[in-house]
Amino acid sequence: MGNGQETPFNGEKGTDQAAESSLFPTYARYPISLVKGEGSWLWDDKGNKYLDFMCGLAVTNLGHAPAKVKEKLKAQLDELWHVSNLFQIPGQEKAAALLTGNTCADAVFFCNSGAEANEAAIKLARRYHQKVKGTGRHEIITFTQSFHGRTLATLTATGQDKVKEGFLPLPAGFKSVPLHDLPALEAAISQDTAAIMMEMVQAEGGVYPVETEFVEAVQALCRKHGLLLIIDEVQTGMGRTGKLFAHEHYGLEPDIFTVAKGLGSGFPVGAMLGKGYLREAFSAGSHGSTFGGTPLSMSVVAATIESILEEEAPQRAAESGHYLMKRLNEELGGNPFVKGIRGKGLLIGIECAGPVNDIVLEGQRRGILFVTAGPNVIRLLPNLLVTKEEIDQAVGMIAALIQEHAAVKQL
Ligand SMILES: *Cc1c(COP(=O)(O)O)cnc(C)c1O
C-alpha cells in the first residue's frame, strides 16, 4: 500500500490496512456502481436496471441526460469552457435573466453548490445590515431540523447537531428555534438579528412542509423588525414542489433565496437570488467565486431552466405529486408501519414506525432507488417528468417492500 515516503507526522503513509479506498470515508456507500442513466432509469456495471426515485438527491429534475441540456452542453464544449468573472460572460447574463424573469428576484450571484449559495446569502444579509443600513446586525435565526450545508457557516446554521460534531469552535452569529414555535422565534429576535433563514419544506430533516400561518407570521416578524427573509430552496427549487420555487405556494417574496441541486441537471452549480435593494450591499470585490457562472455551467443552467419551463415541469410535478400521494395513501393508508405520508409536489416523505434503511437496501436489490430523510422516513424524489406508469410501478414496489417489512416485524 504505502510508497515508503514519510509523512510529516510519525505514521508511515499507507499504514492504514483497513482502507480499501483512496477516498476519505465521508459516505457509507451502497455496493452499487451506476454507469448509465436515461430519463427515470439507471443501469449498474452488471447490467441491472433501476427505477430512480431519488434523482441523485433532487438533482436530475429533468431525468438523466435530458436531450436539450445535453445538446447545449456539447455545443458549449466546442466553444469555450472557462473565463474569469473579470470579463463579460453573456451566458451568465442570460441564465440570470431567465431566473429573474421567472421569479420575484432582481439579481443573481452564481456559485457551485447549495452550501456556497447559502454562504453568499448569509454574507449578503450581514453586509446589507452593516454596510447599507449601518447597524451591527449579524445574527441569522434558523430552525431546528433544518439543513443548510456543510461549510462551517452553513453547518452552524443547520438545526441538526449531528453535522456539527467534532467541528468546534463554530462561527458566532447563529441561533436555531423549533419550527412552528412562534413565541420561541419572537424571543430569539434581538438587536443583533439580521435575517431569518428557512426551508419551505424541511427536506433532509424529515420532509416537513412549513405551515402557511407560520410562514405568514415569519414574514410579518421580518417586516416588523427590519429583518431579511432568506429562503433555502436548494432542494425545493427548480419545480420540485409543483411551483418553480416553493415560496410561490405561499405568495411569499423573500428578500433572498438560494438554489442549487436541480439548477444544473447534474452539473455542479448554485445561485443566490435577491431583491434589487440588496444590490448595493455587494460591491466589486466583496464576494466572488473562481468557478461561479462559467460559460460551461451557464449553458447547462440556461438549457435546464428553458426545458423546465417548456416542459411545464412544475405543473407536471404538482399533478404527479398528487397522483403519487393518492396511490401511496391507497396502498399504505392502513399499514401499521406507516405513521404518515406528507410532502409537496414530488418531494414526498413516508414516515414509518421504525428504521427504514433495510427497506432502502431491499429496494435496491429489487431495482428501485430511493433515500431516507432521518432514520424513520422514506423520501421519494422522482424526476419531474416521471410517467404515470413509472409511478404505478414504483408504488407497487414500495408498497410491497413496506408491507413485507411490516409482516416481518409482526406489526
Ligand atoms: C443539499 C442541501 C444543501 C447543501 O447543498 P450542497 O450542494 O450539498 O452544498 C443546502 N440546503 C438544502 C435545503 C439542501 O437540501
Side-chain angles (χ1 to χ4, degrees):
M1 278 188 107
N3 59 10
Q5 285 173 4
E6 296 262 312
T7 66
F9 301 101
N10 52 12
E12 199 176 299
K13 187 176 187 299
T15 50
D16 178 4
Q17 297 299 326
E20 289 165 9
S21 165
S22 300
L23 301 172
F24 273 105
T26 51
Y27 285 87
R29 292 171 195 273
Y30 302 122
I32 297 175
S33 300
L34 298 163
V35 293
K36 188 173 165 57
E38 203 182 303
S40 302
W41 298 90
L42 285 162
W43 287 264
D44 70 15
D45 56 354
K46 300 182 179 73
N48 299 311
K49 190 178 172 186
Y50 302 86
L51 182 52
D52 183 5
F53 263 52
M54 59 185 280
C55 284
L57 265 168
V59 169
T60 52
N61 281 7
L62 291 165
H64 292 281
K68 177 175 172 170
V69 180
K70 187 160 74 174
E71 190 185 300
K72 294 282 165 130
L73 176 60
K74 280 185 169 171
Q76 189 62 46
L77 274 172
D78 287 335
E79 296 297 328
L80 178 66
W81 296 11
H82 177 91
V83 289
S84 164
N85 275 304
L86 294 168
F87 294 92
Q88 306 288 325
I89 303 179
Q92 193 178 126
E93 295 285 348
K94 180 186 169 182
L98 276 167
L99 284 169
T100 57
N102 288 287
T103 66
C104 67
D106 303 308
V108 185
F109 172 81
F110 285 108
C111 51
N112 315 286
S113 69
E116 269 184 66
N118 287 335
E119 283 273 345
I122 292 163
K123 286 180 71 177
L124 181 63
R126 284 188 175 183
R127 203 167 149 97
Y128 173 73
H129 282 291
Q130 292 172 31
K131 287 286 183 183
V132 179
K133 289 288 185 188
T135 69
R137 292 183 176 211
H138 60 276
E139 199 166 78
I140 314 284
I141 300 176
T142 64
F143 295 94
T144 314
Q145 290 304 113
S146 63
F147 183 79
H148 298 298
R150 300 285 194 166
T151 62
L152 276 173
T154 58
L155 75 80
T156 308
T158 293
Q160 303 184 44
D161 289 340
K162 64 179 184 191
V163 304
K164 307 181 188 192
E165 278 167 22
F167 295 122
L168 302 180
L170 300 176
F174 295 89
K175 250 185 211 168
S176 291
V177 300
L179 190 67
H180 297 143
D181 187 341
L182 201 54
L185 178 59
E186 282 193 88
I189 295 171
S190 74
Q191 292 299 318
D192 291 332
T193 311
I196 296 174
M197 177 149 104
M198 71 192 300
E199 296 162 87
M200 298 280 79
V201 181
Q202 287 194 333
E204 302 298 317
V207 191
Y208 290 100
V210 185
E211 286 165 13
T212 306
E213 307 83 76
F214 188 72
V215 175
E216 283 163 5
V218 168
Q219 192 177 28
L221 278 175
C222 285
R223 292 210 177 112
K224 181 176 163 198
H225 296 279
L227 314 179
L228 296 175
L229 180 56
I230 304 171
I231 304 296
D232 181 343
E233 295 256 14
V234 170
Q235 188 152 164
T236 51
M238 304 311 287
R240 172 59 55 190
T241 69
K243 298 272 187 194
L244 188 57
F245 288 96
H247 63 259
E248 296 167 27
H249 287 288
Y250 300 85
L252 196 62
E253 294 212 2
D255 302 285
I256 301 172
F257 60 98
T258 54
V259 53
K261 290 189 165 92
L263 183 61
S265 297
F267 201 97
V269 58
M272 177 200 62
L273 295 86
K275 288 287 194 185
Y277 45 80
L278 299 171
R279 236 184 253 272
E280 58 181 318
F282 270 174
S283 49
S286 55
H287 192 52
S289 164
T290 298
F291 293 119
T294 63
L296 206 54
S297 65
M298 292 298 104
S299 69
V300 179
V301 168
T304 298
I305 300 167
E306 284 170 348
S307 295
I308 283 180
L309 298 173
E310 279 161 22
E311 306 271 0
E312 301 192 326
Q315 292 91 317
R316 287 180 64 169
E319 286 158 22
S320 296
H322 276 298
Y323 181 67
L324 175 52
M325 191 74 103
K326 178 176 105 66
R327 292 286 297 112
L328 287 170
N329 275 309
E330 282 167 6
E331 295 296 325
L332 292 167
N335 191 291
F337 192 62
V338 175
K339 293 278 156 205
I341 306 173
R342 57 177 178 255
K344 249 190 170 50
L346 287 173
L347 167 50
I348 291 181
I350 306 171
E351 177 156 358
C352 295
V356 294
N357 201 41
D358 287 352
I359 298 175
V360 171
L361 295 174
E362 184 55 27
Q364 292 173 0
R365 286 190 278 271
R366 296 184 192 183
I368 182 163
L369 305 182
F370 49 84
V371 282
T372 60
N376 295 357
V377 178
I378 289 172
R379 183 170 27 155
L380 305 180
L381 296 157
N383 73 74
L384 311 187
L385 309 182
V386 67
T387 65
K388 191 165 172 287
E389 291 70 33
E390 288 162 350
I391 291 176
D392 285 335
Q393 193 175 340
V395 170
M397 294 172 90
I398 292 163
L401 284 162
I402 292 176
Q403 282 151 4
E404 287 167 34
H405 189 81
V408 170
K409 298 273 165 203
Q410 297 191 321
L411 287 166

